[in-house]
Amino acid sequence: MSVIVIAVATESGVPVFSRKKGTNENVQFSTIASLHGINMFSKCHNTSMVSTYIDNGAILWKEYCQSITLIGIVTGGLECDLELLLSCVHDIMIFCVGKKELEDLKNIDQVKRDLRQCYPLLDYMLESLDPNTVSSTLPTLALDLIQSILCSQAQTLQQALDHYAESVSGRWACLSIQGHLVSTSSDFHELHPRETRLLLLLTAAQDGAPLRETPVYLPQMSPNVAFRAITCKLLADVYILVVCGATPPLSQIDEIVLQCWESYAQMIKETKLVYPRNFPMSITFEPCVLGILVININNRRCVFSRHLHPPSQKGRATSGAHRMDILRTFYVTSCKELVPELKREADAKDPEPLAIMNETYWCSEYHKYHAQRSQTLLCCVLYTATVQIHTMRLISSQILQDLNTSKDVYW
Amino acid sequence: MNQYKRKITEESPCDSDNDWTNSSDDSKYSDSESSVPEWDSDVGEDGELVYIKLKPVEVHEENKTPLLENCETFRPRSNFKRSSTRRSTKGRIFKVLKVNKTKNTDDTSKKHLDQGTSSHNTPSTSKNYYEDNYKFIVVQVSKNMIFSSEKNCQIEKLFGISLETHSDNKTLVVVDFLTEARAIYMSKVKKGYFLYKINGIEVNSYNINSVLQRIVEDPSSPKLTFQMPTEEQNIFSIESLLVIKGAPDNTLTHVLNESMCSVLYICCNDIEYNSNDDKGVLYCYPRPFNQNFLYNTRGAYVTMNHLAPKSLGTSEPISSTILYNNILINVTYTSHYSDLLLIAFPNNDIDLFCAKKLIIEIVKLLEFLYGSLKACFTKPNNVDKLDGLFSRIFVTLLYGNNSKSNKNILVEDVLAAHSITLPLDVRVQVDDAITELEAADYREWTDDIDNFQRLYTVIGSCLYYSGHLLSSHLQDEDLKEINAFLKLNGVLNMSTVKEMEKLVMWKEVFIHEHRKQSKNDNHEYRIPDGRWFLLVVGKGHFILSTLMEAGGCTEDAIGVTPPSPFYVEECESCLELLYEIGLDKYMSSWVRSNTHPQLEIVPEYLTKYGKKIKEINSLKPESSQKSTLKISKSPLEVKKRHSSSEHVNTASNTSDNSISTYGSHHNLYSQWYNGQKYRHSNLDVSYSEDSNSLKSTSEKSEERVQGRRADRELRNRRESSGSDSDWDGQEGSRASSSIDMSDIRKSLLNEINHVTIHRITAGEENVLFHFIQLESEKGILIAPVKNIEAQSNNILYSFIIKTFRSACKKIHELLQHSIRFKRNHAPANPLNKILVAVKEYGILFQAPMEILNQCGINKKNQETFQFWVVGRVFSEPEPRELYICYHESIPQDLTEVAYLLSYLE
């Protein structure tokens, strides 16, 4: 499998950057020019290339801000929404350099240089698409979902985060463990889910620095004015992130962090134990459940777990990473259909009443997959192959019911 | 010479439940040997032939023709007289005749006109037809108004319109309105409309003056009836497109251009590119070039096609979706060496899924007709023919579907040849008839077998009824190509919508085996270096296409090869035979019967509310209109497994357990006609052994008249009583006393009334809404009849089917991963290893509230209506996909459903 993302200045045709992941060779300059040429040529004839399919893949052109054209090429049977990927790439670009600079493109060389700082984020995102590397780094399940951990401590931690955000005169703060969102300040939902994802990506791409500030442009909220994103490492793999204005200075924040979080050290350690199960212990699963992905549709958060049972029988049959890839593929290919809200507005226009999809399942040679939606929760479950379809349906709805009623679940 | 006798047609073309008197046209066959077939003058210079004669839609009084004549048409097959025998000298005379004929172009074109009018039903012959189908506008003009006419023309003075005669010299066409009169007409009548009636009197150029005279004398205000011109429908009529020999009409080309359908063939190698005037474009339709969007933007696709494999290392592009003038268009690619074929369809009519499948079919068809893509587009003087072909393809795909509800092309039509499961004994009879044709017993045809070599060997044939494949004796690839030929040319569609009097098509083709072989020579079992021809013969709703080979043991076909009247008649007689066994009537009732397997076409009945309704309905039998539903209530009659063959026989209401294959179809009614059984099976067997053996039938010809009459009476009785139960059971057995049961042709007819209902889903109630079983290797899919939606006439059902079809596309695409992987263990492009393992995919849908409300399911109930669409692939021995749609209330196991379905096959 391979993914290539190329950015070209629309007017001038100057290549801005090209990132790739996978087995493909690097794309040559002439190829980039030809690809751009195809798009420009069809534009001259009042047509626009929406998408092109090749065997096992696709090529897509997308123009953003009327200044940058992104070209995406994906091959080799990777199931991913190329359009979504390109819009994420564009978000990252705005996140790093701001919308204004991308629109103007007066000094292309300057923009090219500035965009270099988003390479780590880009590479990180492309890398996480590859199923084979999922185990090595912090995973991305789906481009449009925020990976989270469900724990009983979330509510208490929220108070701490609120307090912390207040003391640094910011509004939005969150706590992440292993790149998973654990808890947020109460105003955090004001941020667009995609912005949240970018912030989490930022923490994840942060290579262990204890305290760091990054100027960020929030693509939806303030694409032209930069905020200050401050990430602070509390414990190994535990970060708190806050978005705030120019003050207070970093040195002062260091002290505030200590004040605010000292007393929570024990609790955070406890919370850390929830990983990698990612669900509170009060929620139990049938032995036939091999993996689960629960999605809260309203705030685009998801919880994935493949370590549902005590580690007595080590998962020899399927490696954990594989299970994750399976569930992700299932989600991207089929389950997304259950959630029309997640679709982009563009293709949501259909005057005729459509059937509401409630459940979907796959049977493969080795597993069974089942996805069921109940109001705002969608759960995709990976079962052993021996489970009957009607049993799957029962278990899945039981899980959904548990999650809806459990007191330990706090999204 | 051809005193063609009007046939007795009782019903509309859709349900051809006609009397079997219209089976054969004896007067023609009894003609002297020297007769020239009626299609002879239509044979083209290249020997190809398309001849269509549709049955006019008319209502005739019954029994207009003397009884004796009807009788004659019952002459058994053994008496079937040929107008031609297989004599090679005669064939040559024919050829000479043909050359003369084609030279006389005037004659041909004239014939054409005749034919055109006959197929379009001129108003004079079929009034009723027109009144049903065309819109009329009535305008009342005040008598007091007198318009000032410069030309002092009576019509202008009276009505304020000026008329002209149509090209047929008869119809009156509105050319203009006088200024004062414009206000009266403009809202309703437009220029170009026909003036049809004045005061209810039909007018034409001959009688207009006398009619006007009467109007002047008549004090009351005249009433004018205008008729909308039918041009718009006519340009899409596939039968005229099929017959056309030149380029298609400009209007049509324009319409197609507007609709964003397009085809383009470009050669991309340097030599040809530079030598060609149009920069390598060898073919483009619709023209002119500069108005064709595909032509204008071809650079993008050519670059794409070049770039993807060479620079990006991916496969060649399959499709591009483009937005042009706010219309989403799917452009599909096929490359042939360095050349590129592009075909574009508007996404609204043909989505990407269908477009991808269709280009494969179109390429298959072009190769089948011309040998290769290159040959197709470089063949000299072929542009007109290609224009005709592509206009037919586009018209069929875009405008062929008459049903308004789903404008889109159906998934069943795109995937493979739509076949239906007939009971075994019916299939045996059908196969038998075709096999006889294929066997081509030479001794039967000519006395002088030593001197006359045969012209062709039949290498296979297939039979369609109303677009459903009934039987195929072809190789898989040949079937796929012939199916593509019939489908894309609109022949299948035409045979569904219209009833044909006669259809003959003859074309040279390049069969798959031959095309593939020429690459690797010197194989031990080569097929001969011959030529192949496709002969399509149609009658009623039947289409029989036969693939013939000239080469090997036959006489060599050299030069222009027109159809041999002898072989055409041979095929016609095969269809005659099917009519004789009553297959036409059997099929028309079969198509409406919904039994094999039975579907639940009233989905509301599965809800709580619906169950109540159903109960109420069942209490008063008059109100229940659907016989199938009524039958389904009595569990005894429902057989879950098919028992007409030797297979599992669960329900034991049939008394006999005879295992003989031939006896089986008698078993079904042996309980009614025990006494006759011996004669029956005897006849059947003898018939299958020897085609000449229907003598016992001919002996009974007088009784048969009785039988027919009795049959008609019986039908009348059934119709008048309105209840369906009297058609079977006791009534049937009583009738049997008057019907001669030895009449083999009745066998099929009777059986439909006693056919067992088959269910393939588990549970007490039938929860099956629809199914598709696809065998892509064979190019066959089995699905319920095409008009099942019309039969149901139910909003909820239509909704379910629509959802089912779109879900099927999704499931089909996913399952392809597994099929492709199994077919090719080391694919060039790595496949997603997770998707490769998926073999079943199910989706649960819920019908939206507004649909349920429209069906009258109570709002108070708040009952949801959920149904599954499940698809599964069975990979052994050949990939076979099964898609079913059923109500959620009873879980189903697809393996079991597939198993039960296989017994129906």
Side-chain angles (χ1 to χ4, degrees):
Chain A
M1 77 114 235
S2 76
V3 189
I4 303 169
V5 178
I6 302 164
V8 187
T10 307
E11 294 278 304
S12 57
V14 176
V16 177
F17 66 79
S18 130
R19 311 301 301 166
K20 65 146 204 154
K21 176 76 211 118
T23 47
N24 254 31
E25 282 174 35
N26 266 326
V27 183
Q28 287 174 355
F29 182 77
S30 60
T31 313
I32 297 177
S34 304
L35 280 171
H36 184 60
I38 291 174
N39 192 35
M40 292 308 282
F41 172 77
S42 21
K43 256 171 75 181
C44 288
H45 285 89
N46 287 326
T47 50
S48 62
M49 281 263 185
V50 179
S51 60
T52 296
Y53 289 95
I54 47 180
D55 193 17
N56 239 328
I59 301 173
L60 188 74
W61 287 263
K62 208 85 198 164
E63 196 181 318
Y64 292 99
C65 309
Q66 289 170 350
S67 61
I68 294 267
T69 305
L70 292 180
I71 305 168
I73 303 156
V74 55
T75 52
L78 173 76
E79 291 297 313
C80 100
D81 187 340
L82 195 53
E83 199 175 340
L84 181 65
L85 176 70
L86 289 190
S87 74
C88 288
V89 169
H90 178 242
D91 276 352
I92 291 179
M93 287 162 74
I94 291 181
F95 189 67
C96 293
V97 300
K99 200 175 178 184
K100 220 177 193 170
E101 205 172 341
L102 285 180
E103 273 171 354
D104 285 353
L105 269 195
K106 273 187 190 133
N107 189 347
I108 283 196
D109 289 327
Q110 179 64 40
V111 174
K112 272 168 89 170
R113 229 171 293 135
D114 289 348
L115 279 173
R116 262 189 213 145
Q117 55 178 308
C118 71
Y119 287 1
L121 288 181
L122 280 179
D123 290 348
Y124 186 84
M125 188 173 74
L126 294 182
E127 182 111 359
S128 61
L129 288 172
D130 187 347
N132 301 318
T133 56
V134 156
S135 50
S136 62
T137 47
L138 295 169
T140 307
L141 261 167
L143 290 165
D144 48 353
L145 297 178
I146 307 152
Q147 270 192 280
S148 325
I149 290 176
L150 285 182
C151 61
S152 46
Q153 295 89 343
Q155 222 160 345
T156 332
L157 288 172
Q158 182 172 40
Q159 288 163 11
L161 283 166
D162 278 341
H163 176 64
Y164 171 61
E166 220 171 280
S167 32
V168 297
S169 65
R171 283 176 74 86
W172 310 298
C174 67
L175 176 84
S176 81
I177 296 175
Q178 298 278 5
H180 294 67
L181 192 69
V182 175
S183 182
T184 63
S185 64
S186 22
D187 290 336
F188 200 76
H189 59 85
E190 291 169 4
L191 292 176
H192 194 271
R194 288 171 70 170
E195 293 169 339
T196 317
R197 256 198 61 79
L198 289 170
L199 290 170
L200 271 180
L201 211 58
L202 185 73
T203 22
Q206 208 95 144
D207 35 1
L211 190 65
R212 170 182 280 198
E213 58 176 346
T214 327
V216 293
Y217 298 85
L218 299 174
Q220 313 281 329
M221 182 124 4
S222 76
N224 293 317
V225 181
F227 276 90
R228 212 158 54 119
I230 293 159
T231 45
C232 174
K233 186 178 178 183
L234 288 187
L235 294 165
D237 299 322
V238 180
Y239 290 89
I240 43 169
L241 180 141
V242 68
V243 180
C244 60
T247 50
L250 208 57
S251 53
Q252 213 176 320
I253 288 176
D254 200 14
E255 286 166 31
I256 298 171
V257 168
L258 210 66
Q259 278 170 27
C260 291
W261 291 100
E262 209 169 14
S263 51
Y264 289 100
Q266 190 53 38
M267 181 181 267
I268 289 172
K269 273 180 194 156
E270 272 169 35
T271 315
K272 225 184 136 184
L273 291 178
V274 177
Y275 180 87
R277 194 173 186 268
N278 298 350
F279 283 96
M281 284 314 282
S282 59
I283 293 175
T284 53
F285 298 95
E286 297 283 331
C288 58
V289 177
L290 299 179
I292 183 168
L293 172 69
V294 179
I295 293 152
N296 184 330
I297 295 156
N298 282 350
N299 56 17
R300 305 283 193 274
R301 283 170 68 175
C302 71
V303 183
F304 169 78
S305 178
R306 54 175 200 253
H307 304 272
L308 299 167
H309 312 294
S312 55
Q313 6 87 295
K314 273 250 169 173
R316 277 150 295 164
T318 344
S319 75
H322 185 57
R323 275 185 208 170
M324 176 155 188
D325 192 25
I326 289 174
L327 268 179
R328 178 176 66 181
T329 310
F330 180 47
Y331 167 74
V332 172
T333 346
S334 294
C335 307
K336 259 191 153 174
E337 312 269 339
L338 297 182
V339 194
E341 295 98 311
L342 285 179
K343 281 200 185 142
R344 290 174 302 276
E345 294 80 32
D347 43 40
K349 291 178 269 175
D350 203 335
E352 289 173 67
L354 282 174
I356 307 151
M357 275 175 70
N358 278 338
E359 287 174 44
T360 185
Y361 74 86
W362 286 1
C363 300
S364 88
E365 314 256 333
Y366 319 105
H367 300 103
K368 281 201 175 73
Y369 320 65
H370 183 241
Q372 188 171 359
R373 182 182 175 167
S374 142
Q375 285 128 41
T376 62
L377 284 190
L378 171 72
C379 92
C380 316
V381 191
L382 178 69
Y383 293 94
T384 50
T386 48
V387 180
Q388 293 302 306
I389 290 159
H390 46 93
T391 324
M392 283 198 317
R393 297 185 65 194
L394 267 177
I395 296 175
S396 298
S397 45
Q398 186 60 46
I399 291 172
L400 276 171
Q401 208 185 338
D402 284 355
L403 286 171
N404 269 327
T405 51
S406 170
K407 280 176 193 146
D408 289 338
V409 174
Y410 190 79
W411 289 94
Chain B
M1 128 197 109
N2 283 347
Q3 290 180 330
Y4 170 66
K5 291 186 184 77
R6 279 271 170 266
K7 272 120 198 203
I8 297 175
T9 321
E10 294 175 348
E11 272 144 89
S12 65
C14 293
D15 50 358
S16 66
D17 197 3
N18 305 322
D19 219 321
W20 8 287
T21 44
N22 47 16
S23 52
S24 72
D25 192 353
D26 263 24
S27 53
K28 182 173 73 65
Y29 293 123
S30 54
D31 267 342
S32 64
E33 272 193 16
S34 62
S35 77
V36 178
E38 48 188 320
W39 41 261
D40 190 57
S41 57
D42 288 318
V43 177
E45 280 172 50
D46 47 1
E48 290 181 356
L49 166 71
V50 178
Y51 176 87
I52 304 167
K53 191 169 174 192
L54 294 178
K55 220 167 233 185
V57 189
E58 278 174 77
V59 183
H60 269 257
E61 270 178 67
E62 213 181 319
N63 280 339
K64 213 172 172 183
T65 10
L67 204 60
L68 211 105
E69 274 201 44
N70 280 345
C71 236
E72 266 205 313
T73 60
F74 278 93
R75 211 177 310 168
R77 187 176 149 75
S78 50
N79 290 2
F80 181 89
K81 263 196 198 155
R82 298 185 183 290
S83 58
S84 58
T85 43
R86 169 72 195 92
R87 302 239 173 95
S88 50
T89 43
K90 187 166 175 283
R92 249 150 238 161
I93 291 167
F94 259 116
K95 276 176 202 164
V96 174
L97 270 174
K98 238 147 271 164
V99 173
N100 289 339
K101 277 263 161 63
T102 41
K103 271 180 192 155
N104 192 351
T105 41
D106 263 20
D107 184 33
T108 340
S109 59
K110 216 171 135 195
K111 276 237 172 184
H112 251 291
L113 249 173
D114 292 353
Q115 204 179 297
T117 44
S118 78
S119 59
H120 297 146
N121 299 304
T122 45
S124 56
T125 53
S126 57
K127 218 168 72 189
N128 295 16
Y129 180 69
Y130 259 113
E131 281 176 355
D132 291 343
N133 284 279
Y134 299 106
K135 222 179 146 187
F136 293 99
I137 298 110
V138 181
V139 178
Q140 189 134 22
V141 186
S142 166
K143 184 82 181 174
N144 307 325
M145 282 180 96
I146 292 176
F147 303 96
S148 55
S149 165
E150 291 163 22
K151 286 177 261 174
N152 199 18
C153 166
Q154 189 82 311
I155 300 169
E156 290 188 16
K157 269 188 188 167
L158 281 171
F159 309 130
I161 50 174
S162 39
L163 298 176
E164 239 177 38
T165 46
H166 191 54
S167 50
D168 64 356
N169 286 329
K170 216 176 150 201
T171 321
L172 299 163
V173 188
V174 179
V175 268
D176 204 2
F177 305 100
L178 297 186
T179 4
E180 305 98 308
R182 199 157 285 168
I184 313 171
Y185 296 106
M186 264 327 226
S187 58
K188 297 173 185 168
V189 184
K190 293 193 178 71
K191 287 176 201 173
Y193 280 26
F194 303 136
L195 180 61
Y196 183 49
K197 283 178 181 172
I198 298 176
N199 279 352
I201 308 159
E202 246 180 84
V203 287
N204 52 42
S205 54
Y206 310 129
N207 70 355
I208 179 77
N209 284 327
S210 60
V211 173
L212 283 177
Q213 198 55 45
R214 252 188 277 172
I215 300 288
V216 174
E217 286 157 15
D218 189 358
S220 63
S221 294
K223 213 165 72 182
L224 307 182
T225 310
F226 294 94
Q227 184 199 324
M228 291 222 309
T230 53
E231 293 298 321
E232 226 163 315
Q233 277 143 321
N234 278 347
I235 61 164
F236 294 136
S237 93
I238 202 75
E239 50 278 15
S240 56
L241 279 172
L242 273 165
V243 175
I244 209 162
K245 275 183 184 140
D249 188 39
N250 273 337
T251 346
L252 175 66
T253 310
H254 186 71
V255 170
L256 288 178
N257 203 8
E258 297 272 286
S259 70
M260 298 295 159
C261 273
S262 187
V263 55
L264 190 70
Y265 188 80
I266 314 163
C267 68
C268 304
N269 64 37
D270 294 337
I271 310 152
E272 276 173 279
Y273 187 87
N274 293 325
S275 64
N276 188 297
D277 297 338
D278 299 306
K279 298 268 188 296
V281 175
L282 292 182
Y283 180 75
C284 170
Y285 183 82
R287 287 183 299 274
F289 282 170
N290 55 10
Q291 280 174 29
N292 187 307
F293 74 96
L294 204 58
Y295 178 86
N296 290 335
T297 54
R298 67 189 187 282
Y301 318 114
V302 174
T303 316
M304 196 66 234
N305 193 48
H306 185 78
L307 199 67
K310 299 242 166 83
S311 302
L312 294 173
T314 61
S315 73
E316 277 160 352
I318 296 168
S319 70
S320 284
T321 307
I322 62 168
L323 193 66
Y324 177 71
N325 283 349
N326 266 328
I327 302 171
L328 215 53
I329 303 165
N330 295 314
V331 181
T332 46
Y333 301 73
T334 306
S335 49
H336 177 73
Y337 301 106
S338 62
D339 300 355
L340 178 64
L341 172 69
L342 294 170
I343 299 179
F345 294 111
N347 188 60
N348 267 346
D349 298 294
I350 291 159
D351 60 12
L352 191 59
F353 177 89
C354 295
K356 281 197 267 186
K357 298 270 173 202
L358 282 171
I359 192 167
I360 296 170
E361 286 214 319
I362 292 174
V363 169
K364 256 190 198 141
L365 172 62
L366 293 176
E367 284 178 348
F368 182 59
L369 293 177
Y370 296 100
S372 75
L373 282 183
K374 189 88 188 180
C376 164
F377 294 104
T378 50
K379 190 178 171 188
N381 303 325
N382 199 27
V383 174
D384 279 355
K385 283 221 156 156
L386 283 175
D387 285 357
L389 176 67
F390 281 108
S391 63
R392 286 193 296 273
I393 291 175
F394 292 144
V395 165
T396 308
L397 294 176
L398 265 70
Y399 307 99
N401 202 344
N402 312 54
S403 62
K404 282 141 208 140
S405 55
N406 38 15
K407 223 184 136 224
N408 287 345
I409 182 159
L410 305 181
V411 66
E412 291 103 304
D413 289 334
V414 172
L415 290 173
H418 186 162
S419 171
I420 42 177
T421 49
L422 292 174
L424 182 71
D425 40 308
V426 180
R427 254 179 308 141
V428 166
Q429 301 224 27
V430 171
D431 282 342
D432 229 36
I434 301 177
T435 316
E436 198 193 319
L437 167 77
E438 287 165 342
D441 193 350
Y442 202 51
R443 219 169 265 276
E444 213 181 292
W445 297 350
T446 173
D447 305 323
D448 198 1
I449 43 168
D450 300 326
N451 292 333
F452 299 117
Q453 221 179 333
R454 61 181 73 201
L455 276 179
Y456 307 103
T457 333
V458 177
I459 50 177
S461 50
C462 57
L463 180 73
Y464 287 87
Y465 177 82
S466 279
H468 304 97
L469 180 70
L470 297 188
S471 174
S472 159
H473 293 184
L474 290 160
Q475 287 196 27
D476 296 346
E477 286 305 316
D478 292 339
L479 174 67
K480 284 180 199 167
E481 281 159 9
I482 290 175
N483 186 60
F485 173 82
L486 294 174
K487 180 173 75 188
L488 294 173
N489 273 306
V491 179
L492 287 186
N493 221 332
M494 181 177 71
S495 75
T496 316
V497 181
K498 309 227 166 96
E499 196 172 358
M500 288 170 295
E501 179 69 51
K502 187 181 204 138
L503 165 83
V504 184
M505 290 172 86
W506 173 259
K507 253 197 158 66
E508 176 161 13
V509 295
F510 300 83
I511 59 171
H512 180 261
E513 220 179 334
H514 173 66
R515 296 196 312 259
K516 235 176 64 190
Q517 183 189 252
S518 45
K519 285 168 201 159
N520 50 332
D521 274 352
N522 298 327
H523 194 273
E524 199 179 340
Y525 301 107
R526 292 177 56 88
I527 54 166
D529 283 326
R531 288 169 70 183
W532 289 267
F533 298 91
L534 180 68
L535 174 62
V536 180
V537 172
K539 182 179 167 67
H541 294 293
F542 287 102
I543 286 184
L544 175 70
S545 38
T546 316
L547 195 57
M548 313 219 253
E549 179 178 83
C553 66
T554 74
E555 250 177 54
D556 285 331
I558 301 158
V560 174
T561 316
S564 139
F566 175 76
Y567 283 90
V568 173
E569 271 177 27
E570 194 57 29
C571 289
E572 280 169 350
S573 82
C574 177
L575 286 181
E576 291 298 334
L577 179 65
L578 294 174
Y579 268 80
E580 275 175 44
I581 59 171
L583 191 67
D584 53 329
K585 312 186 101 221
Y586 179 80
M587 283 313 297
S588 67
S589 51
W590 163 264
V591 160
R592 278 171 287 147
S593 71
N594 177 25
T595 50
H596 209 89
Q598 191 191 33
L599 305 177
E600 179 59 73
I601 54 174
V602 189
E604 294 100 291
Y605 283 179
L606 292 168
T607 60
K608 268 185 212 148
Y609 164 79
K611 271 172 199 155
K612 264 183 238 155
I613 300 283
K614 197 176 171 185
E615 259 165 47
I616 295 164
N617 280 349
S618 64
L619 287 176
K620 21 177 194 171
E622 298 86 17
S623 63
S624 133
Q625 289 139 357
K626 294 204 169 54
S627 61
T628 46
L629 285 166
K630 227 169 104 189
I631 291 161
S632 72
K633 264 175 272 139
S634 61
L636 252 182
E637 279 197 63
V638 177
K639 273 198 222 171
K640 276 185 64 191
R641 287 176 194 189
H642 186 54
S643 65
S644 79
S645 67
E646 64 278 8
H647 297 300
V648 204
N649 194 345
T650 43
S652 54
N653 58 333
T654 34
S655 52
D656 46 23
N657 296 317
S658 155
I659 297 187
S660 86
T661 338
Y662 275 100
S664 63
H665 94 264
H666 313 289
N667 296 351
L668 286 168
Y669 49 85
S670 60
Q671 49 191 322
W672 316 114
Y673 315 119
N674 271 328
Q676 312 280 348
K677 193 186 170 188
Y678 170 69
R679 238 155 136 198
H680 240 279
S681 42
N682 186 23
L683 233 183
D684 198 359
V685 172
S686 65
Y687 143 75
S688 65
E689 279 170 2
D690 183 353
S691 61
N692 280 338
S693 67
L694 288 175
K695 282 182 192 109
S696 51
T697 354
S698 64
E699 283 162 21
K700 305 269 191 237
S701 59
E702 319 90 325
E703 282 178 47
R704 206 167 307 113
V705 182
Q706 233 180 9
R708 258 196 60 254
R709 220 184 266 147
D711 179 34
R712 200 182 307 127
E713 277 166 23
L714 200 63
R715 183 153 6 91
N716 288 343
R717 208 182 309 142
R718 174 182 54 153
E719 275 156 11
S720 58
S721 73
S723 154
D724 37 16
S725 62
D726 61 345
W727 184 229
D728 48 23
Q730 300 313 310
E731 184 89 9
S733 66
R734 194 170 60 82
S736 76
S737 57
S738 63
I739 297 170
D740 178 42
M741 268 305 118
S742 67
D743 190 345
I744 179 80
R745 284 165 286 179
K746 280 221 158 306
S747 61
L748 285 173
L749 256 171
N750 281 322
E751 195 175 319
I752 190 71
N753 300 299
H754 302 146
V755 80
T756 10
I757 289 160
H758 301 277
R759 279 192 193 162
I760 53 171
T761 51
E764 179 86 351
E765 285 164 312
N766 191 8
V767 288
L768 182 73
F769 297 131
H770 209 275
F771 71 94
I772 295 177
Q773 180 179 285
L774 171 68
E775 288 172 67
S776 44
E777 299 284 302
K778 284 192 192 159
I780 290 179
L781 69 78
I782 296 167
V785 288
K786 286 177 203 277
N787 69 348
I788 191 80
E789 203 177 322
Q791 277 183 44
S792 140
N793 194 19
N794 179 308
I795 301 169
L796 183 56
Y797 188 74
S798 300
F799 175 80
I800 292 172
I801 296 302
K802 196 178 141 229
T803 314
F804 171 68
R805 287 189 174 125
S806 67
C808 274
K809 291 179 188 173
K810 217 178 290 164
I811 299 172
H812 177 77
E813 296 224 306
L814 188 78
L815 296 181
Q816 291 318 298
H817 287 98
S818 162
I819 293 171
R820 279 178 62 179
F821 179 74
K822 294 240 161 71
R823 195 186 300 149
N824 180 8
H825 279 274
N829 290 302
L831 295 161
N832 187 312
K833 58 178 189 252
I834 294 152
L835 298 183
V836 148
V838 178
K839 54 188 182 184
E840 186 172 324
Y841 179 7
I843 308 169
L844 182 71
F845 289 100
Q846 184 182 333
M849 241 18 228
E850 52 257 60
I851 298 264
L852 293 181
N853 289 343
Q854 280 175 44
C855 295
I857 295 178
N858 248 344
K859 273 183 199 172
K860 275 177 264 166
N861 279 349
Q862 284 303 328
E863 198 181 336
T864 55
F865 188 92
Q866 294 190 317
F867 57 97
W868 282 105
V869 178
V870 187
R872 187 180 174 96
V873 57
F874 301 91
S875 40
E876 295 295 322
E878 276 177 331
R880 177 188 284 225
E881 292 154 60
L882 176 65
Y883 304 91
I884 63 167
C885 179
Y886 62 93
H887 191 247
E888 176 252 0
S889 57
I890 306 169
Q892 302 291 333
D893 185 336
L894 247 73
T895 323
E896 201 166 311
V897 173
Y899 176 75
L900 289 175
L901 192 61
S902 74
Y903 278 118
L904 298 185
E905 263 183 66

